[in-house]
Amino acid sequence: MNKSILWRVACLLLATTPMMSHAQDHPSATSAVSATPSVRLFRGPGDYKVWSIGINGGVLAPVVPTGGSNDFTKWKGSAGYGGYVKYQILHFLALRADYVGGKLQADNSKNLGNGATPVSPYKSFETKLPWSATLNAVFNITTVNWLFRQNFVSLYASVGGGLAGYKPTLETNSGTKRDYNNDKAIKELIIPVGAGLKFKLSEVINLDLGYTMYYTDGDNLDGYYHGPNKDKYSYGYAGLEFALGKKGKKQLQWHNPASAMYDELEAQKATLAASLDAANQNNARLTADVDKLTKDSDGDGVSDFFDKCPGTPANTKVDGSGCPLPVPVIEKKEEKIVITEEDTRIVKEAIRNLEFDFAKASIKPHSYPALDRVADLLKRKNLNLKLSGHTDNVGSKDRNLALSRERAESVKAYMVEKGVNASKIEAVGYGMSQPIASNKTAAGRQKNRRVEFTIF
């Protein structure tokens, strides 16, 4: 359909070629075109300094603005140091290999938000960070500047990944110190996310001010495993960056494409105007003919010139002549899902093996295999699941209701993590309102502490 229109337009263009060639033979048109310079917005990294090294010093702290201060209430700043090697790929993008070292400290001397003293077996910790190595992508956000020809301040952001090696030492409330992991270095995956400001002092030296948040893949940075959240730390620093390369070359990271483009386009302004004036006389007639061929009043994709069925309703599929195509009748087939005895056995086994930590919503690891089989069943048969949390009558009614809901949500979160569609799972907490046994005996209370699974 569209190909036929394009073919006819192409024939029209070929027919008008001799006329356009005659117009270009005019002296003024020829001189205007030949005088037009070529536009080169970027000449490649070979004309710039692309390698640089940096050194910095600053403050390391076991805290980030987006995740708090880990498992201790009061963080302390400690001296940190670092360095990097950077390769500038484009004016706005670079790869940077970073090294950071120092130590991290915190204690529990600060009260909680409600004024209560934190409950912890440990008084404080100190973690030695001999090294961390990461590879980061660095994005210069303010490279293109339409207001100033020469930039001297640049805002950048970075993200990457790598490894950190550290040794935590814990001090108990009684004053005893112990080395976590027998004083052996822990190697953990880290994800750095940072931002900073860079000031151009010369074509060789830059002042670098930055702040980076490090997210670890473990809860052992402070030597204290407490809760589901993973540990993190931050590094605020100031340093110098030294550009490497031949004398006279500029740094690629300070290149402003907008400035180069403006200078070259301004030089073409007069000559392009002359060329356009000559071409517009020929384009006027060509545009009228093209409009006649391409005008499509009913919007069906076939121009009025070739449309044999004008006035086709919107969103109607048509053939090459603009006439409606027959609408195929699609018969929907309902898929019947059968829940077998084996499916029921898998669910019952998961209920039987499901256990939580005392008074918490965290699932014990030995329950995972049975839950994995239920997750596989839900995905394989596209089933729905209702999770009903229940407790015994020990404790307040409000706390039991909240705990039952948290446990049901914890099972749902595990299923979603295993690939189950979250909309297929409903998690409800009933607290102690629906006992299935007497709460007067330990055995009865054990039966009442449960999460029921219902598949459908």
Side-chain angles (χ1 to χ4, degrees):
M1 177 177 62
N2 291 331
K3 289 183 178 179
S4 62
I5 298 175
L6 293 175
W7 173 250
R8 290 174 172 86
V9 172
C11 291
L12 179 61
L13 290 173
L14 290 173
T16 58
T17 298
M19 174 190 66
M20 296 174 65
S21 299
H22 176 73
Q24 289 185 349
D25 287 339
H26 193 276
S28 61
T30 304
S31 59
V33 174
S34 61
T36 304
S38 62
V39 179
R40 300 178 64 192
L41 302 183
F42 182 61
R43 294 176 294 178
D47 292 337
Y48 297 89
K49 294 177 181 178
V50 295
W51 286 99
S52 60
I53 59 174
I55 55 174
N56 51 62
V59 178
L60 277 168
V63 62
V64 298
T66 59
S69 55
N70 302 325
D71 303 321
F72 288 78
T73 58
K74 185 176 181 181
W75 61 270
K76 297 180 180 180
S78 303
Y81 51 88
Y84 60 81
V85 176
K86 189 180 73 173
Y87 177 72
Q88 197 74 31
I89 302 173
L90 296 170
H91 56 273
F92 63 90
L93 174 64
L95 283 180
R96 190 183 69 197
D98 286 83
Y99 165 86
V100 174
K103 68 178 181 179
L104 300 161
Q105 298 181 88
D107 59 34
N108 280 321
S109 61
K110 183 180 179 181
N111 289 339
L112 301 176
N114 56 9
T117 302
V119 178
S120 173
Y122 301 108
K123 179 181 179 182
S124 65
F125 86 91
E126 178 180 300
T127 295
K128 295 179 182 178
L129 182 66
W131 61 270
S132 65
T134 58
L135 183 63
N136 298 274
V138 183
F139 303 92
N140 291 341
I141 300 173
T142 55
T143 301
V144 178
N145 192 330
W146 293 94
L147 299 178
F148 302 100
R149 298 293 183 89
Q150 296 294 330
N151 297 332
F152 66 95
V153 180
S154 175
L155 172 66
Y156 67 87
S158 63
V159 65
L163 287 175
Y166 47 84
K167 299 179 181 179
T169 300
L170 290 161
E171 181 181 3
T172 64
N173 290 323
S174 62
T176 304
K177 292 187 177 182
R178 72 177 186 87
D179 294 326
Y180 184 82
N181 200 34
N182 296 323
D183 199 31
K184 295 180 180 178
I186 301 170
K187 297 181 181 65
E188 201 70 72
L189 174 69
I190 54 174
I191 303 297
V193 179
L197 283 173
K198 196 166 289 185
F199 299 86
K200 182 181 179 183
L201 304 182
S202 70
E203 287 299 340
V204 178
I205 303 176
N206 304 314
L207 175 62
D208 190 7
L209 305 177
Y211 180 79
T212 304
M213 300 176 291
Y214 293 88
Y215 296 86
T216 68
D217 192 29
D219 190 27
N220 53 16
L221 180 69
D222 51 19
Y224 180 32
Y225 181 81
H226 181 70
N229 295 327
K230 298 178 180 180
D231 290 338
K232 50 298 266 180
Y233 64 96
S234 61
Y235 179 45
Y237 58 88
L240 294 175
E241 181 181 69
F242 302 92
L244 307 177
K246 292 183 179 180
K247 186 178 180 180
K249 286 187 176 182
K250 295 184 178 182
Q251 299 181 52
L252 178 56
Q253 63 179 318
W254 295 105
H255 174 65
N256 185 2
S259 174
M261 180 177 66
Y262 180 85
D263 291 341
E264 296 194 26
L265 291 180
E266 190 68 20
Q268 297 180 54
K269 202 170 183 180
T271 53
L272 287 177
S275 298
L276 288 173
D277 287 341
N280 283 339
Q281 298 177 6
N282 297 324
N283 289 341
R285 195 174 81 177
L286 178 61
T287 300
D289 292 336
V290 171
D291 287 343
K292 181 179 178 181
L293 288 173
T294 59
K295 185 179 179 181
D296 183 9
S297 301
D298 55 9
D300 60 358
V302 179
S303 69
D304 295 348
F305 190 80
F306 305 105
D307 199 341
K308 295 181 179 179
C309 299
T312 305
N315 300 321
T316 302
K317 293 183 178 180
V318 299
D319 57 19
S321 61
C323 295
L325 292 170
V327 179
V329 179
I330 302 174
E331 206 175 298
K332 294 185 178 179
K333 294 183 179 180
E334 294 185 2
E335 183 181 354
K336 186 176 181 181
I337 300 175
V338 179
I339 300 176
T340 65
E341 291 183 3
E342 175 62 16
D343 300 340
T344 306
R345 184 193 66 77
I346 292 174
V347 174
K348 288 181 177 179
E349 182 183 2
I351 297 173
R352 207 166 42 243
N353 290 315
L354 181 59
E355 289 188 20
F356 299 88
D357 290 332
F358 179 73
K360 295 181 180 179
S362 51
I363 304 170
K364 290 189 175 182
H366 69 77
S367 304
Y368 293 165
L371 291 177
D372 291 344
R373 287 189 284 274
V374 174
D376 179 68
L377 172 64
L378 296 178
K379 293 186 291 182
R380 182 162 33 89
K381 288 197 170 185
N382 197 28
L383 296 176
N384 296 290
L385 174 66
K386 180 179 181 181
L387 299 167
S388 305
H390 304 272
T391 66
D392 55 26
N393 66 347
V394 177
S396 68
K397 180 179 178 181
D398 292 342
R399 176 54 190 151
N400 282 331
L401 181 61
L403 181 59
S404 65
R405 187 181 300 113
E406 290 169 3
R407 286 180 170 176
E409 289 289 349
S410 180
V411 175
K412 177 179 178 179
Y414 183 86
M415 294 290 183
V416 173
E417 184 180 356
K418 293 298 179 179
V420 181
N421 189 339
S423 64
K424 292 286 188 177
I425 304 176
E426 178 187 5
V428 184
Y430 296 99
M432 57 185 182
S433 63
Q434 298 182 10
I436 59 173
S438 173
N439 280 311
K440 295 181 179 180
T441 65
R445 290 192 294 273
Q446 175 64 31
K447 290 182 180 179
N448 290 333
R449 295 192 296 268
R450 69 198 189 277
V451 174
E452 296 178 345
F453 292 53
T454 304
I455 56 173
F456 55 94

